[in-house]
Amino acid sequence: MLTPHPSPTKSPKESHKTQNLAHKKRVFSGIQPTGNIHLGNYLGAVRHWVDSQDEFENIFCVVNSHAITTRQNPKELQQKTYELAGILLACGIDVQKSHLFIQSQIDEHAALAWILDCNIPMGDMSRMTQFKDKSSKNPKNINVGLFNYPALMAADILLYQTHSVPVGEDQKQHLELTRDVAERFNREYGQCFIIPEPMIAKVGARVMGLDNPQSKMSKSAKGENHAIFLLDNPDVITRKFKKAVTDSQSGIVFDEKREGLYNLLCIYEIFTHKSRAEIENEFVGKGYGHLKTALAEVVIESLRPIQATYQKLQNEQGYIKSVLDKSADAIRPIAKATYERAKELVGLI
């Protein structure tokens, strides 16, 4: 594993942190700073990031370079980038245990992506289902970056000699491409990359839209009652849950065929940490209104400390920037070492 030695200028506390991380498996995760972070992002990814900080060496990235595959307002993109970083910190990302940085701060991401681009067959890239989906949704903005952004995603992961990547079911294809290109590169040029493994949460990995339980909760969905955003106020959260789609049947039970109800129950299960039997027993003889009210209350209380911390951080923009800069400085040597190795292997000077 291409882990740089601790700098002699580091404090004893920083050196101790590096030594503690050295024996842990390294995990990489990224999230785009477009739209607003919602309950699906939190339950499917961020919550697991926070809970795993003692177990793994985590590298968390605000992948702003991925965001420009669709046209962005530059000032708004910068604002959203720092906003997302603040929310992640408010959710519990601990910079004493994990790294949190902005993708565009480290140039090796784009540089390695070019080397990978030159080693990924067109056929492999053209099979990426998300490209087809995004192209159909934005037919006037089908650009080269949108087509080959899986190469940049692969570079994000491979740069840090990543052992595992938390992914949703819909992202497994991209990780499979990353694994394929890494294995091919190692075989054809020489050992360079660790082959990353997927990490998929059993519960909460796929939170569905409240207005359409057949569609994954999304930042880009138009419906005003589609998603619960982490910064929604209590009245908005209550209204959205009250309008959540269920069905005309009776009885509150975990039944995957009753998609709307099942989605709400899974969210309740995650936030309350109760067993499915306990939850079903809690709502025996009660209607959907009782479930929706109870769910709104538990979500509001769970998000309250996150929202309070976020508001405090908004008054400390200098702190957020310093945290991001320090993390980027700490992991840049890893990215540089990997890129230099790949560059040498393919014959670049």
Side-chain angles (χ1 to χ4, degrees):
M1 186 167 75
L2 300 178
T3 305
H5 294 293
S7 167
T9 61
K10 285 186 177 181
S11 67
K13 182 177 181 180
E14 290 174 319
S15 293
H16 179 66
K17 175 185 174 183
T18 303
Q19 291 165 4
N20 285 342
L21 291 176
H23 68 279
K24 294 182 177 180
K25 286 188 175 181
R26 184 174 289 157
V27 174
F28 179 92
S29 298
I31 184 169
Q32 285 197 40
T34 52
N36 297 310
I37 188 169
H38 54 66
L39 215 57
N41 301 134
Y42 178 67
L43 297 181
V46 178
R47 184 180 65 97
H48 298 292
W49 297 0
V50 173
D51 291 345
S52 70
Q53 291 182 104
D54 290 324
E55 185 178 357
F56 303 111
E57 178 190 358
N58 286 315
I59 298 176
F60 302 123
C61 181
V62 179
V63 288
N64 59 336
S65 296
H66 284 292
I68 63 172
T69 56
T70 56
R71 187 64 60 86
Q72 303 291 331
N73 177 293
K75 290 185 178 179
E76 185 175 324
L77 177 58
Q78 291 180 359
Q79 177 186 341
K80 284 290 186 181
T81 297
Y82 285 111
E83 177 183 294
L84 176 56
I87 291 176
L88 294 176
L89 292 170
C91 286
I93 298 301
D94 184 348
V95 293
Q96 296 301 317
K97 299 178 180 179
S98 305
H99 300 293
L100 173 64
F101 75 105
I102 297 172
Q103 182 185 26
S104 61
Q105 289 180 300
I106 297 181
D107 293 338
E108 282 78 9
H109 285 257
L112 180 61
W114 173 248
I115 292 177
L116 299 183
D117 267 331
C118 296
N119 287 276
I120 298 175
M122 283 287 290
D124 288 359
M125 202 73 87
S126 64
R127 283 191 287 272
M128 295 294 102
T129 56
Q130 284 201 21
F131 169 73
K132 298 174 183 177
D133 179 57
K134 291 185 178 183
S135 297
S136 64
K137 291 179 179 177
N138 299 283
K140 295 181 179 180
N141 186 46
I142 304 175
N143 55 64
V144 175
L146 184 64
F147 179 75
N148 72 354
Y149 86 99
L152 179 57
M153 184 181 293
D156 297 337
I157 296 166
L158 299 176
L159 265 180
Y160 300 100
Q161 302 299 333
T162 302
H163 296 97
S164 300
V165 182
V167 292
E169 287 288 347
D170 59 328
Q171 298 169 320
K172 285 181 67 177
Q173 188 185 37
H174 288 137
L175 185 58
E176 288 168 2
L177 178 73
T178 299
R179 288 171 51 83
D180 288 345
V181 68
E183 289 172 346
R184 186 184 308 118
F185 191 97
N186 288 350
R187 183 172 62 251
E188 295 183 358
Y189 294 103
Q191 183 61 36
C192 185
F193 305 118
I194 287 177
I195 311 302
E197 296 290 340
M199 294 172 60
I200 301 176
K202 293 182 179 180
V203 179
R206 191 173 176 84
V207 178
M208 312 307 285
L210 300 183
D211 59 350
N212 180 7
Q214 294 182 336
S215 175
K216 184 179 176 182
M217 192 172 285
S218 168
K219 294 178 181 179
S220 59
K222 303 294 184 182
E224 63 177 16
N225 297 313
H226 172 78
I228 301 292
F229 298 110
L230 262 61
L231 300 182
D232 278 347
N233 67 48
D235 289 342
V236 171
I237 292 173
T238 300
R239 172 178 58 78
K240 288 180 177 179
F241 275 126
K242 282 185 176 180
K243 291 182 176 292
V245 171
T246 49
D247 54 51
S248 59
Q249 299 185 49
S250 60
I252 296 177
V253 294
F254 283 86
D255 182 350
E256 293 187 35
K257 294 179 181 178
R258 298 169 65 181
E259 295 166 327
L261 174 62
Y262 184 75
N263 187 44
L264 297 182
L265 285 173
C266 284
I267 296 172
Y268 192 72
E269 176 187 14
I270 296 167
F271 275 110
T272 62
H273 304 289
K274 295 179 180 179
S275 70
R276 296 192 169 188
E278 289 175 318
I279 293 170
E280 290 180 350
N281 186 59
E282 178 181 348
F283 293 103
V284 168
K286 297 179 180 178
Y288 293 147
H290 289 90
L291 170 62
K292 291 178 178 181
T293 297
L295 180 53
E297 289 174 353
V298 74
V299 170
I300 288 167
E301 289 307 309
S302 297
L303 296 184
R304 195 183 302 280
I306 293 174
Q307 294 177 353
T309 302
Y310 174 76
Q311 292 305 322
K312 291 179 181 178
L313 287 171
Q314 287 309 287
N315 298 321
E316 302 178 25
Q317 289 295 315
Y319 169 75
I320 294 176
K321 188 176 186 305
S322 69
V323 164
L324 296 170
D325 289 345
K326 286 179 181 178
S327 282
D329 289 343
I331 62 173
R332 188 175 283 108
I334 306 172
K336 181 176 177 59
T338 301
Y339 173 66
E340 291 296 330
R341 172 65 174 163
K343 181 180 172 182
E344 175 188 12
L345 287 171
V346 298
L348 297 178
I349 296 173

